[in-house]
Amino acid sequence: MAKGKRILIFLALLILFLVAAPAAVMYCLGWRLDLKNGRITEPGMFYFKASPKTADVYLDGKLQKRTDIFFGSILIENLEPKEYEIEIKKDGYHGWKKKLAIQKREVTEAKNIILFPLNPNFSLISESAEYIYPAPDGRKIVIKEYDEVKKKWSLKILDTAKNSKTNLLSEEDLGKIKHEFSNISFSEDSERILLETKYQAKNRYFIVSLADGKFTEADFGNNVLDKIILHPSEKTKLFVAFSEKKTKNSVPEKNIYEVDLLKKITSGPLAKNISDFTISDRDAYWIDEEGFLLKSGLDFKNPRRMNVQKTVQKNLTLKTEGSEVFMESEQSLYIFNKKTLSFEKLLDGIKGYRLSPNSKQLLYFNDNELWILFLEKKHEQPHKEAGDKVLVSSEIIGDAFWHINNYIAYTSQNKVKISEIDDRGEFNSIEFFEMENPQMLYSQNNLYILSKGSIYSCQDLKN
């Protein structure tokens, strides 16, 4: 080959290399050529994960593709940085819609998308129910029923895994005298309940085993109890608080005692002149006469002061959820801030609050506001810092429960609604169904509804 041809071929290859190499590098770095607008862009990506799987994904009204059959996920690449309207649809389900923006060379994610059925199926559990009480472990529900013929109440236990109901205890089991039902509360291990009844204006207390319905009466004589909590592990023990006077004319003081029903021994007082107390796992918490929050083991010895600023609230109630300590006072909810070592007010007119299953978020609500508090930093999108709050709904709120960690089911008048907690753009919120004056309960991803004396179970939420 002639020398001139070799030089031409070399120069041609050199020019091709000089053109192609930068283009290849730019492509690897994420740059793309927008032929329509004649400019170079830095595209981004969408990543979605939805349940149920094989759902159709639309961007700005155009079908892209379906989420995969194995993981329910989809990655959409080479998208121009701008805001898109996303819709995810599947026949027989409520759709999911949200406006999300693509940023240069970034992945915008929505990984907790749930599509809920348009026509949920319900199973009838009971037709004579008055109240429903969930166990802490979520595996059992105690149902209070009333027999209109016998004019007697009874307790049934529902196994949420099998969705089957069995007898637990009836009013007649307690004896021939009439017992007016008051309330029940669970032990922390969900193996026992404390049943409170009234007979001739006197409170009576029974510890009932959920395994076999056997019960033991706890007799406190003429003492009027301020609070009673079952021991978290020892089945025959409990903690009680009641007011006592040192002298006839002195101001009553609320003291804590431990009661062993088997040995018929009352020990204490374990703590004196308290405002309130609560038990969590192996720890005891109480607020003393000076307004300090104290923590100790279940022996109440060597307590550690937790707050640096005295609590001035009166008529307060202490409660724990997971590792969090809450205080209610005059219908206001406070949470103990571990950084400031003081109680922080969350909401006035409080109706309820619940920790998420992963213990990283708290929902709390009053008659017309439903909020989320992030207790830890949230690394996945949308990112949140510990202490961030999100207002999910400002309509009439009856009750609210977590569905997994990213959705909330709540009642509003006669409607049961479900909302995501992703606050990018508008919330995806649906009206799931409607019943008259529904009392809602959530357990093991099953939804239970008490309406007009009947209990229904919906298992369509197990995504």
Side-chain angles (χ1 to χ4, degrees), residues 397-412:
I397 305 295
D399 204 350
F401 289 85
W402 285 99
H403 176 58
I404 315 181
N405 295 301
N406 300 289
Y407 284 81
I408 294 172
Y410 62 97
T411 56
S412 181

PDB file of all heavy atoms in Angstrom, residues 397-412:
ATOM      1  N   ILE A 397     -61.148  12.362  61.970  1.00  0.00           N
ATOM      2  CA  ILE A 397     -60.434  11.110  62.214  1.00  0.00           C
ATOM      3  C   ILE A 397     -61.110  10.360  63.357  1.00  0.00           C
ATOM      4  O   ILE A 397     -61.347  10.914  64.427  1.00  0.00           O
ATOM      5  CB  ILE A 397     -58.957  11.364  62.566  1.00  0.00           C
ATOM      6  CG1 ILE A 397     -58.274  12.205  61.483  1.00  0.00           C
ATOM      7  CG2 ILE A 397     -58.229  10.040  62.769  1.00  0.00           C
ATOM      8  CD1 ILE A 397     -58.167  11.564  60.138  1.00  0.00           C
ATOM      9  N   GLY A 398     -61.402   9.080  63.108  1.00  0.00           N
ATOM     10  CA  GLY A 398     -61.951   8.236  64.157  1.00  0.00           C
ATOM     11  C   GLY A 398     -60.860   7.428  64.834  1.00  0.00           C
ATOM     12  O   GLY A 398     -60.619   7.531  66.034  1.00  0.00           O
ATOM     13  N   ASP A 399     -60.168   6.601  64.050  1.00  0.00           N
ATOM     14  CA  ASP A 399     -59.069   5.776  64.558  1.00  0.00           C
ATOM     15  C   ASP A 399     -58.091   5.564  63.414  1.00  0.00           C
ATOM     16  O   ASP A 399     -58.427   5.796  62.247  1.00  0.00           O
ATOM     17  CB  ASP A 399     -59.602   4.441  65.085  1.00  0.00           C
ATOM     18  CG  ASP A 399     -58.668   3.809  66.119  1.00  0.00           C
ATOM     19  OD1 ASP A 399     -57.544   4.315  66.277  1.00  0.00           O
ATOM     20  OD2 ASP A 399     -59.071   2.825  66.757  1.00  0.00           O
ATOM     21  N   ALA A 400     -56.885   5.117  63.717  1.00  0.00           N
ATOM     22  CA  ALA A 400     -55.872   4.934  62.682  1.00  0.00           C
ATOM     23  C   ALA A 400     -54.904   3.838  63.090  1.00  0.00           C
ATOM     24  O   ALA A 400     -54.573   3.680  64.263  1.00  0.00           O
ATOM     25  CB  ALA A 400     -55.116   6.242  62.440  1.00  0.00           C
ATOM     26  N   PHE A 401     -54.465   3.058  62.080  1.00  0.00           N
ATOM     27  CA  PHE A 401     -53.530   1.958  62.296  1.00  0.00           C
ATOM     28  C   PHE A 401     -52.506   1.942  61.165  1.00  0.00           C
ATOM     29  O   PHE A 401     -52.773   2.394  60.058  1.00  0.00           O
ATOM     30  CB  PHE A 401     -54.262   0.609  62.322  1.00  0.00           C
ATOM     31  CG  PHE A 401     -55.106   0.381  63.539  1.00  0.00           C
ATOM     32  CD1 PHE A 401     -56.402   0.868  63.598  1.00  0.00           C
ATOM     33  CD2 PHE A 401     -54.615  -0.328  64.622  1.00  0.00           C
ATOM     34  CE1 PHE A 401     -57.190   0.664  64.716  1.00  0.00           C
ATOM     35  CE2 PHE A 401     -55.393  -0.535  65.745  1.00  0.00           C
ATOM     36  CZ  PHE A 401     -56.682  -0.041  65.798  1.00  0.00           C
ATOM     37  N   TRP A 402     -51.352   1.350  61.446  1.00  0.00           N
ATOM     38  CA  TRP A 402     -50.331   1.162  60.423  1.00  0.00           C
ATOM     39  C   TRP A 402     -50.671  -0.026  59.539  1.00  0.00           C
ATOM     40  O   TRP A 402     -51.114  -1.074  60.029  1.00  0.00           O
ATOM     41  CB  TRP A 402     -48.969   0.911  61.061  1.00  0.00           C
ATOM     42  CG  TRP A 402     -48.326   2.127  61.632  1.00  0.00           C
ATOM     43  CD1 TRP A 402     -48.316   2.517  62.950  1.00  0.00           C
ATOM     44  CD2 TRP A 402     -47.596   3.129  60.917  1.00  0.00           C
ATOM     45  NE1 TRP A 402     -47.632   3.693  63.087  1.00  0.00           N
ATOM     46  CE2 TRP A 402     -47.172   4.101  61.861  1.00  0.00           C
ATOM     47  CE3 TRP A 402     -47.259   3.306  59.574  1.00  0.00           C
ATOM     48  CZ2 TRP A 402     -46.427   5.212  61.499  1.00  0.00           C
ATOM     49  CZ3 TRP A 402     -46.520   4.416  59.213  1.00  0.00           C
ATOM     50  CH2 TRP A 402     -46.113   5.356  60.161  1.00  0.00           C
ATOM     51  N   HIS A 403     -50.447   0.126  58.233  1.00  0.00           N
ATOM     52  CA  HIS A 403     -50.405  -1.017  57.321  1.00  0.00           C
ATOM     53  C   HIS A 403     -48.950  -1.146  56.875  1.00  0.00           C
ATOM     54  O   HIS A 403     -48.448  -0.317  56.118  1.00  0.00           O
ATOM     55  CB  HIS A 403     -51.324  -0.810  56.119  1.00  0.00           C
ATOM     56  CG  HIS A 403     -51.214  -1.932  55.109  1.00  0.00           C
ATOM     57  ND1 HIS A 403     -51.457  -3.237  55.436  1.00  0.00           N
ATOM     58  CD2 HIS A 403     -50.853  -1.933  53.795  1.00  0.00           C
ATOM     59  CE1 HIS A 403     -51.278  -4.003  54.371  1.00  0.00           C
ATOM     60  NE2 HIS A 403     -50.903  -3.233  53.360  1.00  0.00           N
ATOM     61  N   ILE A 404     -48.278  -2.167  57.375  1.00  0.00           N
ATOM     62  CA  ILE A 404     -46.840  -2.338  57.212  1.00  0.00           C
ATOM     63  C   ILE A 404     -46.177  -1.052  57.749  1.00  0.00           C
ATOM     64  O   ILE A 404     -46.552  -0.600  58.818  1.00  0.00           O
ATOM     65  CB  ILE A 404     -46.459  -2.674  55.749  1.00  0.00           C
ATOM     66  CG1 ILE A 404     -47.432  -3.756  55.198  1.00  0.00           C
ATOM     67  CG2 ILE A 404     -45.018  -3.190  55.662  1.00  0.00           C
ATOM     68  CD1 ILE A 404     -47.156  -4.179  53.794  1.00  0.00           C
ATOM     69  N   ASN A 405     -45.220  -0.468  57.018  1.00  0.00           N
ATOM     70  CA  ASN A 405     -44.530   0.715  57.542  1.00  0.00           C
ATOM     71  C   ASN A 405     -44.741   1.967  56.705  1.00  0.00           C
ATOM     72  O   ASN A 405     -44.232   3.033  57.076  1.00  0.00           O
ATOM     73  CB  ASN A 405     -43.016   0.441  57.627  1.00  0.00           C
ATOM     74  CG  ASN A 405     -42.675  -0.645  58.610  1.00  0.00           C
ATOM     75  OD1 ASN A 405     -42.979  -0.541  59.795  1.00  0.00           O
ATOM     76  ND2 ASN A 405     -42.055  -1.702  58.131  1.00  0.00           N
ATOM     77  N   ASN A 406     -45.469   1.859  55.612  1.00  0.00           N
ATOM     78  CA  ASN A 406     -45.535   2.973  54.674  1.00  0.00           C
ATOM     79  C   ASN A 406     -46.960   3.407  54.331  1.00  0.00           C
ATOM     80  O   ASN A 406     -47.135   4.315  53.509  1.00  0.00           O
ATOM     81  CB  ASN A 406     -44.785   2.605  53.394  1.00  0.00           C
ATOM     82  CG  ASN A 406     -43.338   2.297  53.649  1.00  0.00           C
ATOM     83  OD1 ASN A 406     -42.541   3.170  53.942  1.00  0.00           O
ATOM     84  ND2 ASN A 406     -42.983   1.012  53.578  1.00  0.00           N
ATOM     85  N   TYR A 407     -47.958   2.771  54.930  1.00  0.00           N
ATOM     86  CA  TYR A 407     -49.352   3.135  54.702  1.00  0.00           C
ATOM     87  C   TYR A 407     -50.091   3.181  56.031  1.00  0.00           C
ATOM     88  O   TYR A 407     -49.715   2.516  56.999  1.00  0.00           O
ATOM     89  CB  TYR A 407     -50.041   2.124  53.769  1.00  0.00           C
ATOM     90  CG  TYR A 407     -49.665   2.298  52.315  1.00  0.00           C
ATOM     91  CD1 TYR A 407     -48.480   1.790  51.823  1.00  0.00           C
ATOM     92  CD2 TYR A 407     -50.499   2.990  51.431  1.00  0.00           C
ATOM     93  CE1 TYR A 407     -48.117   1.953  50.489  1.00  0.00           C
ATOM     94  CE2 TYR A 407     -50.147   3.155  50.101  1.00  0.00           C
ATOM     95  CZ  TYR A 407     -48.961   2.639  49.641  1.00  0.00           C
ATOM     96  OH  TYR A 407     -48.609   2.825  48.326  1.00  0.00           O
ATOM     97  N   ILE A 408     -51.157   3.971  56.041  1.00  0.00           N
ATOM     98  CA  ILE A 408     -51.999   4.102  57.233  1.00  0.00           C
ATOM     99  C   ILE A 408     -53.451   3.864  56.832  1.00  0.00           C
ATOM    100  O   ILE A 408     -53.931   4.434  55.838  1.00  0.00           O
ATOM    101  CB  ILE A 408     -51.860   5.509  57.848  1.00  0.00           C
ATOM    102  CG1 ILE A 408     -50.446   5.712  58.372  1.00  0.00           C
ATOM    103  CG2 ILE A 408     -52.856   5.707  58.981  1.00  0.00           C
ATOM    104  CD1 ILE A 408     -50.162   7.121  58.812  1.00  0.00           C
ATOM    105  N   ALA A 409     -54.125   3.024  57.588  1.00  0.00           N
ATOM    106  CA  ALA A 409     -55.567   2.836  57.425  1.00  0.00           C
ATOM    107  C   ALA A 409     -56.255   3.605  58.543  1.00  0.00           C
ATOM    108  O   ALA A 409     -55.860   3.509  59.703  1.00  0.00           O
ATOM    109  CB  ALA A 409     -55.929   1.351  57.500  1.00  0.00           C
ATOM    110  N   TYR A 410     -57.279   4.389  58.190  1.00  0.00           N
ATOM    111  CA  TYR A 410     -57.957   5.178  59.212  1.00  0.00           C
ATOM    112  C   TYR A 410     -59.438   5.320  58.869  1.00  0.00           C
ATOM    113  O   TYR A 410     -59.858   5.143  57.722  1.00  0.00           O
ATOM    114  CB  TYR A 410     -57.313   6.565  59.356  1.00  0.00           C
ATOM    115  CG  TYR A 410     -57.370   7.456  58.136  1.00  0.00           C
ATOM    116  CD1 TYR A 410     -58.359   8.423  57.997  1.00  0.00           C
ATOM    117  CD2 TYR A 410     -56.424   7.352  57.118  1.00  0.00           C
ATOM    118  CE1 TYR A 410     -58.412   9.254  56.888  1.00  0.00           C
ATOM    119  CE2 TYR A 410     -56.463   8.168  56.005  1.00  0.00           C
ATOM    120  CZ  TYR A 410     -57.460   9.119  55.900  1.00  0.00           C
ATOM    121  OH  TYR A 410     -57.516   9.937  54.798  1.00  0.00           O
ATOM    122  N   THR A 411     -60.225   5.603  59.904  1.00  0.00           N
ATOM    123  CA  THR A 411     -61.657   5.812  59.716  1.00  0.00           C
ATOM    124  C   THR A 411     -61.948   7.302  59.721  1.00  0.00           C
ATOM    125  O   THR A 411     -61.368   8.065  60.499  1.00  0.00           O
ATOM    126  CB  THR A 411     -62.478   5.119  60.823  1.00  0.00           C
ATOM    127  OG1 THR A 411     -62.048   5.595  62.103  1.00  0.00           O
ATOM    128  CG2 THR A 411     -62.317   3.616  60.772  1.00  0.00           C
ATOM    129  N   SER A 412     -62.850   7.696  58.837  1.00  0.00           N
ATOM    130  CA  SER A 412     -63.329   9.074  58.778  1.00  0.00           C
ATOM    131  C   SER A 412     -64.833   9.014  58.569  1.00  0.00           C
ATOM    132  O   SER A 412     -65.297   8.666  57.483  1.00  0.00           O
ATOM    133  CB  SER A 412     -62.649   9.829  57.629  1.00  0.00           C
ATOM    134  OG  SER A 412     -63.095  11.173  57.582  1.00  0.00           O
TER     135      SER A 412
END
